């Protein structure tokens, strides 16, 4: 039997296999059979029935398909009338012609689609007894089931009319004596009791298969919806849709209609009309009372209790309970602790949206009043007051403001919405002017926390134009405005604003002064070396005088940043560790108010190579940000996680990269997008994916302009991704970084760039210049005193030493690798051990080179860096291939020294003087060298040395990790 491709029916391979087996076995092992497709609405049963049609057609079988309509619209025997209407003319003619005249007339009288095929005429169709119809249908099935057989599909069986149920029940109890396969699809909660019993009995006697159609897996849901929505939104949609394909599409439509990526409000319809009509057809079949209570339940929200639903629907409780029975029988609602809930939230949303706006508003007012009488929680009341509040309603505005305070820590977007509505409700009253100012400040803060930075800035600038307000309030507004603008990348504008505010000291409190100075200290904070130490020093001095731990954390962090710029690394680490200890002693609730401070400390720790601490703080902050709905803080913390994991070689963390990208998509903020792209580019570069690193870096450059600090980092990564063999690499890098002293870079970043410059010089054969850059790297790293940077500089020294002293280079690289692995940087250690392996191979020490190649490969595997593992394999194969052609590997260290000096053009006397050997001894060494190299002249020795040096230079870029 021909197999049919199933890959476009996602996650349905098992179901299709069972259906195909049932069709294949029809008429062979079983004369008749039944397949039940069981599942909720929208789960995909109808799609499977369509595939049954294809399978039956391929098998050459006769096929009937019937569909039941919703209660209230059905006709007697509708199911079978629909099925016989789908039958082809030739098959029908043959089958009906074989029946006796009375039976044919009976069928023609009951089913209009058969009237053209019967020769007899039924005298009075209305008087037909159902038991005669049952047997006639069974006989027609048997006659239609000529080999290879008949397949009958029935969709939405739970809506079958009573007469169709009776006929189907008869067929289950008395199956046709012919190869007939019944494939029925239904929702189990709504199936008639008679059919439940009949199916149970049929399972004992007939070939019955029950297929429970499962929800889609998350992976299949992502394939179905595509990548455009982003991983985080897809995960949220999948969770709320519970894997149901129909609800996945509906929720995706809502998400696409919502610019923020959060679910669209109930009063913003965004579901395609045809989808909405399909789902709402069940609702429209209800009685008027059922519809009214269903609407009330949608207004109240899940779960709703009968008493409240009755008040909102404006009906008495008995009527409401009767309607609830009807809704439950239709499987529109289901019992849940505390009341009832819609079968799926999407259905409740669609019922809400289909309700007339006027009735809906009145229902919300009734709900608000009922909840107030019950003393319900303020957020529960605010949901309804927000939709009905009117200007001048002070009591309602006060309720919204208080409710917003309660939810700010877990739902800042809701808090912002409620404060915004409260401000509108208080508009026009001079007596409420101060209250409106206070609420506007709270609104701006909530918008910032939820990631709406541009909207927050608009509110703050409107407030700053206010002619009179308390000084303390103005300083609060300026500080918040500075924070918002800094995180939008508006550094110059923010710095100017802060300087204006700092000039007149109008009795500012110590806290206000600390805040303003901290904002100044952090202007241009990210990837910038332009912080002014005066502000961080002054802020720290004041912060130590007040009892405010989180302000002290911020001040210590800012001071650590300034100390890095000054090159005072030990002191910077001391301040960062003090901030870390203080932050670790705070509760999650305290940190929820200061997540940007958590992020700032993490970035400084990462910069100081306190990367494990940084990752711990980033991860804790990200968890709190998710729990409290702080989208903007979450983006910065996720960027920190990606950056830290890249440094630590934790390259299996692809989910973190995807989460970062998804969150950033939901924010209208170019600055955080630039930070995200830089971190993703670093992650790609450390993974060995140069093409991705180049693409991401170029996006940063396009977004940032050529001269911004962020752009400089992106240009450095782009140059590295293009490769150091470019003749323009050195010139480009010096232009980006401000000349040989690299003045435009943080001192912490300079060692990496010097290593890159050395690798580029080696690639061009300029060994002396490469050594000069390594001396710069050693000077910088030595001044910093950081173990990681000192080890990386040692690795750079190994790189240039390998040109003429591979044995010494291997020892240096091995030492660097041991130090890096002990410091917790296995990816950098792997590069060092790879370099050691190359140098050992150059020195002819095959056993040692194999050990270090293996160790590098193992570390790359631990870091989940398959591209770098492949690079090790390629280098290993190259050395195995070239080992025979590189005769220098057979020379002793003294012979190699003499060969190098010969290649420099030295005479025997000059070589002897340099090595403190007699000319005769030099001559003896040369004879051995000629023999080993199988050459007869000094020029041939020089050529062999040049070839070996070229191989070493070519591999120079393989010896150092990406920064």
């Amino acid at each position: 039997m021909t197999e049919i491709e199933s890959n476009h029916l996602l996650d349905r391979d098992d179901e299709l296999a069972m259906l195909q087996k049932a069709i294949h076995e029809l008429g062979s092992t079983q004369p008749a059979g039944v397949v039940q497709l069981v599942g909720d609405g929208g789960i995909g049963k109808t799609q499977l029935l369509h595939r049954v049609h294809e399978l039956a057609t391929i098998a050459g079988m006769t096929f009937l398909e019937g569909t039941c309509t919703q209660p209230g619209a059905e006709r007697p025997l509708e199911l079978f009338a629909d099925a016989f209407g789908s039958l082809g003319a030739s098959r029908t003619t043959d089958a009906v012609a074989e029946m006796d005249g009375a039976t044919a007339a009976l069928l023609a009288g009951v089913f209009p689609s058969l009237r053209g095929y019967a020769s007899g005429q039924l005298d009075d169709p209305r008087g037909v007894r159902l038991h005669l119809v049952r047997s006639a249908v069974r006989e027609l099935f048997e006659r239609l089931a000529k080999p290879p057989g008949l397949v009958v599909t029935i969709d939405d069986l739970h809506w079958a009319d009573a007469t169709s149920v009776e006929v189907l029940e008869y067929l289950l109890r008395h199956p046709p004596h012919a190869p007939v396969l019944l494939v029925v699809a239904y929702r189990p909660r709504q199936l008639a009791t008679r059919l439940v019993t009949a199916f149970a009995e049929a399972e004992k006697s007939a070939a019955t298969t029950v297929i429970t159609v499962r929800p889609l897996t998350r992976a299949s849901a992502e394939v179905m919806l595509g990548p455009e929505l982003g991983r985080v939104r897809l995960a949220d949609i999948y969770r709320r849709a519970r894997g149901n394909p129909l609800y996945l599409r509906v929720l995706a439509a809502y998400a696409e209609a919502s610019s923020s990526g959060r679910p669209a409000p109930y009063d913003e319809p965004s579901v395609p009309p045809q989808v909405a009509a399909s789902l709402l057809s069940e609702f429209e079949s209800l009685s008027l009372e059922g519809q009214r209570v269903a609407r009330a339940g949608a207004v109240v929200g899940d779960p709703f209790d009968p008493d409240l639903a009755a008040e909102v629907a404006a009906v008495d409780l008995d009527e409401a309970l009767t309607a609830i029975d009807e809704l439950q029988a239709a499987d529109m609602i289901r019992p849940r602790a505390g009341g009832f809930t819609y079968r799926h939230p999407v259905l409740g949303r669609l019922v809400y949206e289909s309700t007339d706006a006027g009735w809906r508003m009145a229902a919300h007012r009734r709900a608000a009043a009922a909840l107030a009488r019950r003393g319900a929680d303020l957020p529960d009341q605010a949901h309804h007051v927000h939709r009905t509040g009117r200007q001048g309603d002070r009591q309602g505005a006060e309720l919204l403001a208080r409710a917003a305070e309660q939810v700010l820590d877990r739902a800042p977007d809701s808090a912002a919405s409620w404060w915004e509505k409260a401000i509108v409700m208080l508009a026009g009253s001079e007596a409420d002017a101060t209250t409106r100012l206070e609420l506007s400040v709270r609104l701006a803060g909530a918008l910032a926390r939820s990631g709406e930075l541009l909207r927050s800035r608009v509110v703050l600038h409107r407030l700053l134009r206010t002619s009179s307000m308390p000084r303390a309030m103005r300083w609060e507004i300026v500080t918040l405005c500075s924070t918002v603008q800094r995180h939008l990348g508006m550094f110059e504008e923010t710095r100017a604003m802060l300087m204006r505010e700092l000039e007149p000291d109008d009795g500012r409190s110590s806290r206000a002064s600390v805040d303003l100075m901290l904002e100044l200290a952090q202007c241009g904070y990210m990837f910038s070396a332009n912080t002014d130490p005066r502000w961080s020093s002054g802020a720290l001095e004041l912060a130590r005088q007040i009892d405010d731990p989180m302000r002290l954390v911020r001040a210590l962090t800012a001071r650590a940043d300034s100390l890095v710029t000054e090159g005072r690394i030990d002191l910077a680490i001391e301040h960062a560790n003090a901030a870390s200890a203080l932050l670790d002693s705070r509760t999650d609730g305290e940190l929820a108010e200061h997540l940007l401070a958590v992020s700032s400390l993490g970035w400084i720790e990462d910069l100081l190579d306190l990367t494990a601490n940084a990752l711990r703080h980033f991860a804790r902050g990200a968890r709190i940000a998710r729990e409290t709905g702080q989208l903007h803080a979450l983006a910065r913390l996720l960027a920190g996680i990606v950056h830290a994991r890249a440094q630590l070689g934790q390259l299996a963390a692809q989910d973190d990269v995807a989460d970062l990208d998804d969150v950033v998509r939901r924010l209208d903020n170019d600055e955080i997008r630039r930070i995200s792209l830089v971190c993703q580019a670093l992650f790609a570069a450390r993974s060995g994916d140069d093409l991705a690193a180049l693409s991401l870096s170029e996006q940063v450059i396009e977004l940032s302009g050529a001269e911004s600090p962020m752009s400089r980092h992106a240009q450095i990564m782009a140059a590295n991704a293009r490769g150091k063999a470019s003749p323009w690499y050195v010139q480009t890098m010096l232009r980006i970084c401000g000349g040989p002293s690299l003045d435009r870079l943080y001192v912490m970043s300079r060692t990496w760039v010097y290593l890159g410059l050395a690798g580029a010089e080696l690639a061009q054969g300029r060994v002396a210049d490469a050594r000069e850059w390594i001396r710069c790297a050693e000077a910088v790293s030595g001044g910093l005193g950081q173990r990681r940077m000192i080890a990386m500089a040692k690795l750079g020294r190994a790189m240039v030493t390998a040109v003429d002293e591979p044995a010494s280079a291997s020892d240096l690289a091995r030492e660097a690798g041991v130090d890096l692995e002990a410091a917790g940087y296995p990816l950098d250690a792997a590069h060092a051990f790879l370099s050691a392996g190359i140098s050992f191979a150059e020195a002819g020490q095959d056993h040692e080179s194999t050990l270090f190649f293996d160790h590098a490969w193992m570390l790359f595997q631990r870091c989940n860096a398959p591209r770098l593992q492949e690079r090790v394999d390629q280098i290993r194969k190259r050395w195995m291939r070239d080992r025979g052609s590189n005769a220098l590997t057979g020379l002793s260290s003294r012979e190699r020294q003499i060969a190098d000096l010969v290649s420099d053009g030295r005479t025997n006397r000059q070589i002897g003087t340099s090595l403190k050997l007699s000319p005769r001894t030099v001559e003896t060494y040369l004879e051995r060298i000629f023999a080993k190299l199988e050459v007869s002249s000094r020029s041939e020795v020089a050529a062999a040395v040049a070839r070996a040096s070229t191989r070493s230079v070519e591999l120079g870029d393989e010896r150092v990790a990406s920064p």
Side-chain angles (χ1 to χ4, degrees):
M1 182 167 150
T2 305
E3 298 288 328
I4 187 163
E5 291 297 322
S6 62
N7 54 11
H8 68 278
L9 262 187
L10 292 168
D11 248 1
R12 297 293 179 247
D13 288 347
D14 291 345
E15 290 90 337
L16 288 171
M18 295 171 75
L19 289 167
Q20 196 163 28
K21 181 174 181 290
I23 291 174
H24 180 71
E25 293 177 350
L26 185 62
S28 56
T29 60
Q30 292 288 343
V34 178
V35 176
Q36 302 171 59
L37 294 174
V38 183
D40 284 343
I43 201 69
K45 302 184 297 295
T46 300
Q47 282 185 309
L48 287 169
L49 290 180
H50 292 163
R51 186 56 64 85
V52 170
H53 190 175
E54 296 176 22
L55 292 168
T57 301
I58 290 171
M61 295 178 173
T62 304
F63 183 81
L64 301 179
E65 56 182 335
T67 301
C68 306
T69 57
Q70 292 174 23
E74 74 273 10
R75 303 180 307 277
L77 292 171
E78 176 189 37
L79 163 58
F80 294 96
D82 191 46
F84 290 134
S86 69
L87 194 58
S90 60
R91 289 285 180 95
T92 306
T93 301
D94 293 344
V96 174
E98 294 173 359
M99 304 176 76
D100 66 62
T103 304
L106 172 66
L107 290 172
V110 174
F111 302 113
S113 61
L114 299 180
R115 287 176 186 168
Y117 307 108
S119 56
Q121 182 68 37
L122 189 67
D123 294 332
D124 184 7
R126 293 171 297 179
V128 173
R129 295 188 178 183
L130 195 55
H131 73 277
L132 297 176
V133 176
R134 296 183 317 194
S135 58
V137 168
R138 179 173 179 269
E139 182 182 348
L140 181 55
F141 277 5
E142 291 172 342
R143 295 188 182 278
L144 288 169
K146 290 182 177 179
L150 169 68
V151 175
V152 182
T153 65
I154 302 170
D155 201 3
D156 292 329
L157 179 60
H158 48 278
W159 284 329
D161 63 276
T163 51
S164 293
V165 167
E166 185 170 338
V167 173
L168 183 59
E169 181 186 17
Y170 172 82
L171 293 173
L172 291 171
R173 296 183 190 282
H174 307 280
H177 295 295
V180 176
L181 181 66
L182 283 174
V183 185
V184 299
Y186 60 85
R187 302 177 192 173
R189 291 173 181 266
Q190 296 171 259
L191 191 65
T193 304
R194 293 175 63 181
L195 287 178
V196 172
T197 304
F199 279 130
E201 292 182 3
E203 290 175 21
K204 301 174 184 177
S205 57
T208 300
T209 302
V210 180
I211 301 175
T212 300
V213 185
R214 302 160 292 118
L216 296 182
T217 63
R218 177 169 165 177
S220 294
E222 290 178 358
V223 171
M224 184 182 83
L225 297 180
E228 293 78 11
L229 288 169
R231 185 174 172 275
V232 171
R233 291 160 106 184
L234 282 168
D236 180 59
I237 288 169
Y238 179 79
R239 177 183 58 79
R240 290 187 287 123
R242 303 167 193 158
N244 186 298
L246 177 60
Y247 297 144
L248 283 166
R249 292 189 180 92
V250 172
L251 289 171
Y254 277 109
E256 288 169 354
S258 172
S259 59
S260 68
R262 290 182 286 272
Y266 266 11
D267 50 1
E268 293 182 12
S270 53
V271 177
Q274 63 273 23
V275 177
S278 172
L279 285 169
L280 287 173
S281 59
E282 301 176 50
F283 171 78
E284 291 164 357
S285 68
L286 299 170
S287 68
L288 292 178
E289 293 77 11
Q291 292 183 17
R292 189 178 185 90
V293 173
R295 291 191 178 101
V299 167
V300 171
D302 287 341
F304 62 89
D305 68 73
D307 289 317
L308 184 57
E311 289 191 62
V312 174
V315 300
D316 64 42
L317 181 58
D318 287 342
E319 288 181 283
L321 291 173
T322 300
I324 285 172
D325 287 342
E326 181 185 5
L327 292 169
Q328 197 173 353
D331 197 32
M332 287 197 68
I333 64 173
R334 294 174 181 176
R336 182 175 163 184
F340 294 88
T341 182
Y342 268 92
R343 180 175 78 228
H344 194 282
V346 166
L347 186 56
R349 178 177 289 176
L350 288 172
V351 170
Y352 182 93
E353 291 174 354
S354 69
T355 301
D356 292 339
W359 191 94
R360 191 164 57 205
M361 181 171 286
H364 276 299
R365 285 182 182 155
R366 291 192 291 269
L371 289 169
R373 287 193 298 272
R374 296 177 177 203
D377 292 340
L378 293 181
D380 291 338
Q381 298 181 53
H383 169 74
H384 302 286
V385 173
H386 176 254
R387 285 168 169 75
T388 61
R390 293 167 290 183
Q391 186 172 334
D393 181 3
R394 279 186 171 185
Q395 185 177 357
E398 181 185 357
L399 184 147
L400 287 175
R402 289 165 57 204
E405 290 287 357
Q406 291 185 12
V407 303
L408 177 61
D409 286 343
R410 64 179 184 274
D413 49 350
S414 294
S417 179
W418 293 346
W419 272 318
E420 191 170 29
K421 181 70 173 182
I423 292 167
V424 171
M425 292 166 69
L426 294 176
S429 169
E430 287 301 320
D432 295 316
T434 301
T435 302
R436 287 200 302 275
L437 278 176
E438 293 170 351
L439 294 182
S440 294
V441 176
R442 302 298 285 151
L443 167 62
L447 288 170
R449 290 181 68 161
S450 63
E452 300 276 0
L453 296 187
L454 290 173
R455 287 183 62 200
S456 178
R457 181 174 179 269
V458 169
V459 173
L460 290 166
H461 275 266
R462 186 169 64 240
L463 288 169
L464 288 173
R465 292 193 295 270
T466 303
S467 56
S468 63
M469 69 173 66
R471 290 174 181 174
M473 181 181 290
R474 181 172 183 84
W475 295 326
E476 181 183 359
I477 293 168
V478 168
T479 301
L480 179 55
C481 187
S482 170
T483 302
V484 167
Q485 291 185 166
R486 279 195 300 106
H487 290 103
L488 286 168
M490 300 175 176
F491 301 117
E492 295 306 320
E493 177 183 339
T494 303
R495 190 176 290 113
M497 177 188 70
L498 290 168
M499 291 302 296
R500 286 194 303 269
E501 294 295 327
L502 270 174
E503 285 173 5
D505 186 354
D506 297 333
R508 280 191 305 272
S509 68
S510 295
R511 283 179 169 80
S513 295
V514 168
D515 291 342
L516 291 175
M517 284 190 280
L518 283 174
E519 287 299 319
L520 267 169
Q522 294 174 323
C523 257
Y525 186 83
M526 198 72 171
F527 299 117
S528 170
N530 298 322
T531 56
D532 189 331
R534 292 178 301 164
W535 307 120
S536 62
S537 181
L540 180 56
E541 184 179 347
L542 280 175
R544 281 179 167 148
Q545 298 172 17
I546 60 178
D547 183 19
D548 192 324
M550 287 311 300
R551 275 186 172 86
L552 184 54
V553 167
R554 291 182 61 204
L556 286 165
T557 302
R559 186 63 187 135
D561 182 37
S562 295
L563 290 166
V564 169
T565 304
E566 297 169 27
R568 301 162 68 185
I569 304 305
D570 288 345
L571 203 52
I573 291 174
E574 182 181 320
H575 282 70
N577 285 337
S580 174
L582 195 54
L583 185 144
D584 289 343
S585 69
R586 302 296 98 189
T587 66
D588 285 358
E590 291 173 291
L591 293 189
E593 297 287 333
H594 302 280
L595 288 180
L596 293 178
V598 178
S599 171
S600 296
L601 175 59
W603 283 106
I604 286 297
E605 289 175 319
D606 198 7
L607 187 67
L608 291 167
D609 285 343
L610 304 172
T611 316
N613 269 356
L615 183 57
R616 179 170 55 82
H617 290 139
F618 285 137
R620 183 184 179 193
R623 175 179 56 77
I624 297 170
R626 291 185 195 278
E627 292 170 355
T628 57
Q630 298 186 57
L631 209 59
H632 171 66
L634 177 60
R636 284 185 169 262
L637 291 159
L638 286 173
I641 288 173
V642 170
H643 195 277
R645 290 199 188 283
Q647 297 291 5
L648 293 170
Q650 297 177 8
L651 303 177
Q654 295 292 339
D655 285 352
D656 292 322
V657 178
D659 285 349
L660 171 62
D661 186 56
D662 289 343
V663 170
V664 170
R665 287 188 191 192
R666 299 162 67 183
L667 296 168
D668 186 14
N669 185 340
D670 284 345
E671 176 69 4
I672 192 60
R673 186 179 172 203
R674 285 188 284 265
I675 293 171
S676 166
L677 290 170
V678 165
C679 294
Q680 291 182 62
L682 174 68
F683 197 93
R686 299 276 286 171
S687 303
D689 190 349
D690 291 334
L691 288 177
L694 178 60
S695 173
L696 291 161
S697 299
E698 288 176 339
Q699 291 179 55
V700 179
I701 297 166
E702 184 179 348
L703 275 171
S704 306
E707 297 304 318
S708 73
M710 197 80 67
S711 178
R712 281 197 289 276
H713 281 265
Q715 290 175 65
I716 291 169
M717 284 192 288
N720 287 328
R722 293 188 185 101
K724 300 180 182 71
S726 165
W728 307 107
Y729 179 92
V730 173
Q731 180 181 344
T732 300
M733 198 66 75
L734 294 178
R735 175 184 55 78
I736 295 169
C737 301
S741 60
L742 312 182
D743 291 334
R744 293 182 179 177
L745 291 184
Y746 255 135
V747 66
M748 309 296 296
S749 304
R750 292 173 190 170
T751 300
W752 291 107
V753 174
Y754 283 133
L755 293 174
L757 289 168
E761 300 285 19
L762 275 183
Q764 299 301 318
R766 297 189 288 264
V767 179
D769 291 337
R771 290 192 173 111
E772 192 60 38
W773 292 123
I774 292 302
R775 277 192 284 272
C776 292
E778 290 169 335
V780 170
S781 62
L784 296 176
Q786 288 183 286
R787 186 177 184 183
R788 182 189 185 194
M789 289 298 99
I790 290 171
M792 290 306 302
K794 184 181 290 185
L795 179 55
R797 174 59 62 186
M799 177 174 65
V800 295
T801 302
V803 174
D804 49 19
E805 296 181 53
S808 298
S810 62
D811 289 337
L812 286 168
R814 174 176 53 193
E815 291 171 12
V818 170
D819 288 345
L820 289 164
E821 191 169 9
Y825 295 94
L827 189 68
D828 298 333
H831 284 283
F833 291 130
L834 174 59
S835 178
I838 294 170
S839 294
F840 276 121
E842 289 173 332
Q845 300 180 44
D846 293 346
H847 177 69
E848 288 80 0
S849 71
T850 298
L851 290 177
F852 281 95
F853 284 146
D854 288 346
H855 193 48
W857 193 95
M858 179 270 295
L859 286 177
F860 284 138
Q861 182 184 48
R862 186 198 302 173
C863 294
N864 196 49
R867 288 183 176 84
L868 299 178
Q869 289 174 260
E870 291 175 14
R871 197 173 294 176
V872 174
D873 291 336
Q874 291 166 2
I875 292 171
R876 191 201 304 263
K877 289 176 183 176
R878 188 188 313 173
W879 277 108
M880 290 177 65
R881 184 182 67 243
D882 294 347
R883 183 171 50 190
S885 63
N886 184 6
L888 292 186
T889 59
L891 301 182
S892 68
S893 59
R894 177 65 81 183
E895 289 168 346
R896 176 62 192 266
Q897 284 180 307
I898 292 172
D900 288 338
L901 292 172
V902 167
S903 71
D904 287 341
R906 306 281 185 92
T907 65
N908 286 1
R909 184 175 297 278
Q910 291 170 325
I911 293 171
T913 301
S914 176
L915 300 179
K916 297 181 181 180
L917 299 173
S918 69
R920 179 60 188 158
T921 301
V922 173
E923 182 67 31
T924 300
Y925 273 118
L926 273 176
E927 290 173 359
R928 294 177 187 171
I929 291 169
F930 283 1
K932 289 182 178 181
L933 298 183
E934 298 180 355
V935 297
S936 58
S937 68
R938 300 171 75 93
S939 61
E940 288 178 291
V941 171
V945 171
R947 286 193 299 272
S949 297
T950 299
R951 277 192 293 272
S952 182
V953 165
E954 287 172 350
L955 286 168
D957 198 25
E958 302 288 354
R959 301 173 189 265
V960 183
S962 300

